[in-house]
Amino acid sequence: MTGLGLSLVRGAVTSPFKRAGRPGAALPTGREERPPAPAAPGPLAAYSRICGFAESGPLPLTYPHVLGFPLAMRLMTGRRFPLPVLGLVHTWIEITGHRALHPTDALELTVYAAELTPHRRGTEVTVVTEARHAGTLVWESRSGYLSRHATRASAPPPGRAAPRELPSVAEWRLPADLGRRYGAASGDRNPIHLHPATARLFGFPRHIAHGMWTVARCLAETGDTTGEQGRVRTVRADFKAPVLLPSTVTYAADGNAFQVRGGNGVHLTGSVTREV
């Protein structure tokens, strides 16, 4: 069993003994690290194909997050991590690439938990992933994960305006096996993405697409350039609603903003900035 597989098993075992929202809860101060290593060609090629990136050229902006995911899972399934990993919901991500990265770059990865904050639906943790090349920070991401539980909020917050509907660009038909294929390429085999039966155990009517596949597919659609000028430097994405599989969704974009819509509304909103 791989290290990621062991982390998933450990998360299943330890989650029932953790209580989100416990007063005085603190985050672990340690960091999970991976020594410098280039991307493995086979998994990178499989990831690029399933997400729509070119199989040559710079490393996709989202790929260091995939490389760091086993470290994040090890962190979040550790004994000192205060939230149960089962049921954690990925709510947002911000990625910054300080320069274009290449598959041969030997990236050193570090993952740590930066912040634990109250949320109207529970408790949210911010997990940071950093990539360094020859000691220099070249890439970083911040992700929000929500552990839902009862709170003392006396009233729901004021309603937010619905996102502006952006012009449609493309229609994507997502097959039933998308979660299994992306899981094989990325290593993220969370059961909510694999089969209807396993997803129903967590309250979903069917299995759902990975949020990080959706972000990556949107970036691939932007037509990122191969050079430094004009490349996507940063991306911010907010996950609004799960994408059930199979389904058909619409990718929409206007300038630097993008979104993914389905029959029941908006699944994801995001924006990019580019090098000038």
Side-chain angles (χ1 to χ4, degrees), residues 57-60 64 97 99-105 107 131 133 138-139 228 231:
L59 207 64
R99 69 163 174 82
L101 300 179
H102 303 279
T104 55
D105 289 340
L107 298 180
H133 184 252
V138 293
W139 181 99
E228 190 68 25
R231 73 173 178 91

Side-chain angles (χ1 to χ4, degrees), residues 230-267:
R231 73 173 178 91
V232 174
R233 175 182 172 84
T234 66
V235 59
R236 162 81 190 211
D238 292 272
F239 305 108
K240 302 295 186 181
V243 178
L244 298 175
L245 297 174
S247 66
T248 299
V249 297
T250 297
Y251 168 76
D254 186 13
N256 291 329
F258 61 87
Q259 63 187 202
V260 175
R261 300 194 300 264
N264 296 324
V266 176
H267 296 290

